Amino acid sequence: LTISDSNTEIGLFRTTSSATIKNLRLESISITSTGTKNIGALIGKSINTIVENSYVTGSITVTDNFDCYGSAGGLIGLLESTSTSVVKKTFVNVNVNANHDCRPWYAVACEYDWAAIGGFIGSVVSANILNTNIENSYSKGSVNDGDGCSYIGGFTGWLTDAYIINSYSTGAVYNGQYR
């Protein structure tokens, strides 16, 4: 799978909503993006989605700044949950390299200017901790924020109200301001 795009969401699936994805394998993916909000090898933006027993290898490179805010992750760019989101028994070996153009809030045409970069998921945003679970999963790829001003993590760059159970990351993390 090779994608070179600048749309709002990028991945094998740009956006999923109340979907179930099982037993999917993506090998040697290559995604290059400019000015995108949410990038993941499997899903750009995941809403109330279940991902199970899946595997992804390859690389993601964001070569330009995110548009005000954005997320990049080896599996999912943004996981958003208002009811139920589950990721389990899923493994990622994707190198994620992103450059977020660090700009002060007064120099951008948006209220916020931030990015979240993670080896597994860029951002997890949940309305209820009881409904969002990531379990028995891992990430091996490296994560690099070229500009050094993003929320960055080997597993996830940003996490609110979710359980991560029996999951880990072994990849190197470089240059994040908030890591």
Side-chain angles (χ1 to χ4, degrees):
L1 174 67
T2 300
I3 299 173
S4 180
D5 202 341
S6 61
N7 282 301
T8 303
E9 275 79 38
I10 295 178
L12 177 63
F13 302 103
R14 287 187 191 278
T15 303
T16 58
S17 181
S18 301
T20 299
I21 299 169
K22 291 185 177 182
N23 305 317
L24 184 65
R25 185 179 193 122
L26 295 174
E27 294 184 352
S28 302
I29 62 102
S30 176
I31 296 177
T32 303
S33 167
T34 59
T36 303
K37 285 197 189 270
N38 301 304
I39 306 115
L42 183 60
I43 305 168
K45 182 178 181 180
S46 168
I47 305 167
N48 304 325
T49 296
I50 296 170
V51 177
E52 184 177 348
N53 197 34
S54 295
Y55 178 77
V56 180
T57 66
S59 66
I60 294 174
T61 303
V62 181
T63 58
D64 197 0
N65 63 348
F66 289 104
D67 184 19
C68 295
Y69 61 89
S71 299
L75 182 71
I76 298 170
L78 171 63
L79 185 150
E80 189 176 283
S81 182
T82 56
S83 62
T84 300
S85 290
V86 177
V87 179
K88 64 182 178 179
K89 297 179 183 174
T90 296
F91 313 103
V92 176
N93 189 0
V94 175
N95 295 318
V96 181
N97 297 291
N99 290 310
H100 175 61
D101 185 16
C102 305
R103 298 168 290 179
W105 65 269
Y106 54 82
V108 294
C110 49
E111 185 176 351
Y112 302 103
D113 184 33
W114 63 274
I117 305 163
F120 195 75
I121 299 174
S123 294
V124 178
V125 180
S126 173
N128 186 337
I129 194 168
L130 300 176
N131 296 329
T132 305
N133 295 311
I134 302 165
E135 51 193 81
N136 301 315
S137 297
Y138 69 85
S139 170
K140 292 174 83 173
S142 64
V143 182
N144 183 25
D145 174 18
D147 291 331
C149 65
S150 299
Y151 296 96
I152 183 171
F155 198 78
T156 184
W158 183 265
L159 176 73
T160 58
D161 293 330
Y163 284 116
I164 298 179
I165 305 161
N166 295 325
S167 299
Y168 62 92
S169 171
T170 60
V173 176
Y174 303 101
N175 296 332
Q177 180 175 353
Y178 308 102
R179 54 186 170 146

